[in-house]
């Protein structure tokens, strides 16, 4: 395990660290991190954008409550859970602080964090179409979006997306529930059960022999000139980003209810599995809007696919892929098997991220099993990565920085894993 100290922020580190190139786990403290106020002041997005996203979610509460079981009055949110004390003790050792789980592995509707962006973007598109068709009378309850005239309108439109699986499912579930046609372009590493699940929804699944980036590019090209279709662009979408950002308001409410202080004396470290960056980036941005420098986003990536790390470490304003760093982008964490980070996200949150931690597949499986046995949490490998990162991150940070800190590990998917898949993952531990 190599731990990089945070270099002097004025000497911008250009190089990708050697352990990253060797696919060894590393804790990379971000030398480009700057104070939240100046980053946010220069940002293309603001608190008003996050509040608008939150308002849109709330407009759709009546619809989501009607369409899906398990939402809390239409809210797609997960609980904030304390980690059982013996597990927390084994992670923290002598370090002070408390560990919590933001349990998106059990998120209503899709059982994964990508619903926060994917469902949101489908709702935004549906609202735009309904508005253009003159359907949005004052006082209308959005439960009407499930009614005949709305469905007839949506059935004449296609929603398309490129995905390793979970974004496709989130978009597919929501779009099919509204009557849209759905086309999902999937990478070679997408799991067979995720494709099957989409087909069962009535989605058209297009399989690509290449990686996630190629699947997204193919879908983007196929839908670029279609006026009857909307392409959910995992690499560039502002709606996805803001849908994820609104999750920060959910966490803020839960932290307050649990009596967890977040301020300069009580930093909040949030461990976020990172694929292309949209989900962790949106959440990190939203939390920074709410808590400023007191929140410390720690992104977590597989050793073979550290796309955000190589992007940020390079210091370059052009896409840098893990292949350029000599890595193969092969990991059991299918949701995180991404070679090039979203430039939208890298530019927006690159100076807000505290650290990127990389983890081996073996550690993912070890934690997947430990969390099942110790806490009854059913996670997919990607979603266990936050826990896999926590110990090595803590080991590399001075204890003084951790006094009075809280740690939130975002478990991002897994509750819908078929039994056979889950048992196979347990067996790999
Ligand atoms: C379970 C899980 N966790 C985390 C992520 C990372 O999200 P993003 O690709 O937006 O960084 C994904 C992406 O698909 C995922 O499926």
């Amino acid at each position: 395990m190599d731990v990089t100290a945070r270099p002097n922020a004025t000497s911008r580190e250009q190089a990708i660290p050697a352990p990253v190139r060797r696919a060894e786990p590393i804790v990379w403290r971000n030398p480009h991190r700057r104070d939240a106020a100046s980053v946010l002041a220069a940002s293309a997005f603001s608190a008003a954008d996050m509040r608008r996203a939150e308002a849109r979610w709330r407009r759709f509460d009546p619809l989501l409550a009607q369409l899906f079981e398990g939402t809390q009055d239409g809210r797609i949110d997960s609980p904030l859970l304390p980690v059982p004390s013996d597990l927390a003790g084994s992670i923290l050792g002598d370090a002070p602080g408390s560990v919590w789980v933001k349990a998106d592995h059990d998120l209503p509707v899709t059982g994964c964090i990508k619903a926060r962006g994917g469902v949101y973007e489908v709702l935004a598109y549906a609202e735009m179409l309904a508005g253009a068709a003159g359907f949005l009378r004052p006082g209308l309850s959005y439960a009407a979006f499930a009614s005949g005239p709305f469905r007839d309108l949506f059935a004449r439109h296609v929603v398309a997306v490129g995905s390793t699986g979970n974004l496709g499912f989130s978009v597919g579930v929501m779009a099919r529930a509204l009557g849209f046609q759905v086309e999902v372009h999937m990478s070679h590493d997408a799991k067979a059960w995720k494709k099957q699940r989409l087909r069962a929804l009535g989605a058209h699944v297009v399989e690509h022999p290449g990686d996630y980036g190629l699947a997204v590019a193919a879908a983007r090209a196929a839908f670029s000139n279609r006026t009857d279709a909307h392409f959910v662009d995992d690499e560039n979408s502002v709606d996805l980003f803001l849908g994820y950002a609104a999750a920060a308001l959910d966490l803020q409410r839960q932290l307050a209810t649990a009596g967890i202080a977040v301020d300069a004396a009580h930093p909040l470290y949030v461990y976020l599995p990172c694929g292309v960056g949209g989900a962790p980036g949106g959440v990190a941005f939203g939390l920074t809007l709410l808590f400023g420098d007191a929140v410390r986003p720690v992104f977590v990536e597989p050793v073979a696919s550290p796309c955000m790390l190589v992007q940020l470490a390079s210091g370059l304003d052009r896409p840098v892929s893990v292949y350029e760093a000599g890595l193969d982008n092969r990991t059991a964490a299918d949701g995180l098997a991404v070679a090039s980070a979203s430039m939208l996200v890298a530019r927006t949150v690159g100076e807000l991220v505290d650290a990127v931690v990389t983890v081996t597949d073996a550690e993912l499986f070890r934690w997947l099993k430990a969390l099942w046995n110790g806490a009854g949490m059913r996670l997919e490998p990607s979603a266990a990565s936050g826990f896999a990162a926590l110990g090595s991150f803590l080991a590399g940070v001075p204890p003084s920085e951790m006094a009075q800190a809280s740690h939130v590990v975002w478990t991002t998917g897994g509750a819908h894993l078929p039994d056979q898949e889950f048992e196979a993952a347990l067996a790999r531990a």
Side-chain angles (χ1 to χ4, degrees), residues 265-293:
H266 302 87
L268 179 74
Y269 290 83
V270 185
Y271 302 83
L272 294 155
C274 178
V276 74
V283 169
F285 187 78
L287 288 172
T288 305
L289 286 169
L290 298 175
F291 297 115
D293 294 318

Side-chain angles (χ1 to χ4, degrees), residues 111-114 163-167 194 212 234 244 272-281 334-336 338 380-383 385 411-414:
C112 69
I113 192 172
K114 298 296 282 190
S163 171
T164 57
N166 285 340
L167 180 64
K194 292 187 178 176
Y212 155 89
D234 203 14
Y244 297 125
L272 294 155
C274 178
V276 74
D334 51 319
L336 312 184
V338 176
E380 59 183 278
S382 302
S385 61
T411 51
T412 49

Side-chain angles (χ1 to χ4, degrees), residues 78-83 87-88 91-92 98-105 113 251 255 268-273 283 287 296 298 300 367 371 377 379 382-391 393-394 406-413:
S78 67
L80 180 67
L81 305 171
V83 171
L87 205 54
I91 299 167
L92 287 171
S98 58
V99 186
W100 298 78
V101 172
K102 182 66 180 145
D104 273 12
H105 65 280
I113 192 172
L251 181 59
L255 290 167
L268 179 74
Y269 290 83
V270 185
Y271 302 83
L272 294 155
V283 169
L287 288 172
R296 311 280 169 80
V298 177
V300 187
W367 275 101
L371 292 160
M377 292 196 296
L379 305 184
S382 302
S385 61
F387 275 99
L390 188 52
F393 182 73
L394 289 175
S406 299
H407 305 271
V408 170
V409 184
W410 215 290
T411 51
T412 49

Side-chain angles (χ1 to χ4, degrees), residues 31-332:
H32 310 311
R33 183 170 152 95
R34 291 199 297 134
D35 71 284
S38 33
V39 177
L40 294 176
S43 175
F45 308 109
S46 67
D49 294 313
M50 179 177 67
R51 301 272 171 201
R52 270 193 289 274
E54 167 70 3
R56 175 177 281 137
W57 273 120
R58 301 289 70 87
R59 286 197 291 281
F60 277 100
D61 281 348
L63 175 76
L64 296 175
Q66 179 181 311
L67 287 178
F68 301 114
E69 281 178 11
T71 64
Q72 301 150 1
D73 302 327
R75 277 176 182 268
I76 297 184
D77 189 24
S78 67
L80 180 67
L81 305 171
V83 171
S85 55
D86 44 345
L87 205 54
S90 77
I91 299 167
L92 287 171
D94 294 336
S98 58
V99 186
W100 298 78
V101 172
K102 182 66 180 145
D104 273 12
H105 65 280
D106 210 6
L107 200 67
V109 186
T110 66
C112 69
I113 192 172
K114 298 296 282 190
R116 295 184 181 275
V119 168
Y120 178 79
E121 179 149 345
V122 173
L123 296 178
Y125 180 51
E127 189 176 43
M128 187 278 289
L129 289 176
F135 287 177
L136 299 184
R137 307 182 310 275
L140 176 84
S141 163
Y142 274 26
F145 275 64
S147 67
F150 283 75
R151 290 184 66 85
D152 291 346
L153 170 68
F154 301 146
R156 296 196 296 275
H157 294 83
V158 185
V159 176
V161 62
S163 171
T164 57
N166 285 340
L167 180 64
F169 184 57
S170 301
V171 167
V173 166
M174 190 65 242
R176 290 298 299 144
L178 290 176
F180 284 104
Q181 301 164 57
V182 172
E183 187 166 311
V184 184
H185 289 245
M186 298 186 91
S187 53
H188 65 75
D189 33 26
K191 301 279 183 232
W193 68 271
K194 292 187 178 176
K195 295 177 198 163
Q196 187 45 41
R197 191 174 60 170
L198 277 162
R199 291 193 175 106
L201 280 173
H204 177 48
V205 176
V206 181
E207 299 181 55
H208 291 274
D211 71 3
Y212 155 89
L214 290 173
V216 171
R220 187 185 292 122
F223 286 89
S224 63
N225 292 318
R226 296 264 304 261
T227 52
D228 65 335
H230 178 74
F231 173 57
V232 177
D233 193 330
D234 203 14
E235 291 177 331
N236 300 308
S237 166
V238 171
D239 276 337
L240 282 182
F241 186 78
L242 295 175
Y244 297 125
L249 294 161
D250 296 329
L251 181 59
Q252 183 189 42
R253 208 175 34 249
Q254 292 170 326
L255 290 167
T257 304
I260 303 168
V262 183
D263 53 39
H266 302 87
L268 179 74
Y269 290 83
V270 185
Y271 302 83
L272 294 155
C274 178
V276 74
V283 169
F285 187 78
L287 288 172
T288 305
L289 286 169
L290 298 175
F291 297 115
D293 294 318
V295 72
R296 311 280 169 80
V298 177
F299 284 16
V300 187
E301 301 189 304
V303 288
S305 311
C307 62
M308 192 59 79
L309 197 167
V310 300
Q311 186 63 52
L312 300 185
S314 76
L316 299 173
D317 194 43
R318 61 137 180 106
V320 178
S321 90
V322 302
Y323 302 127
E324 288 177 61
L327 299 166
D328 65 5
N329 190 29
R330 297 267 173 186
T331 169

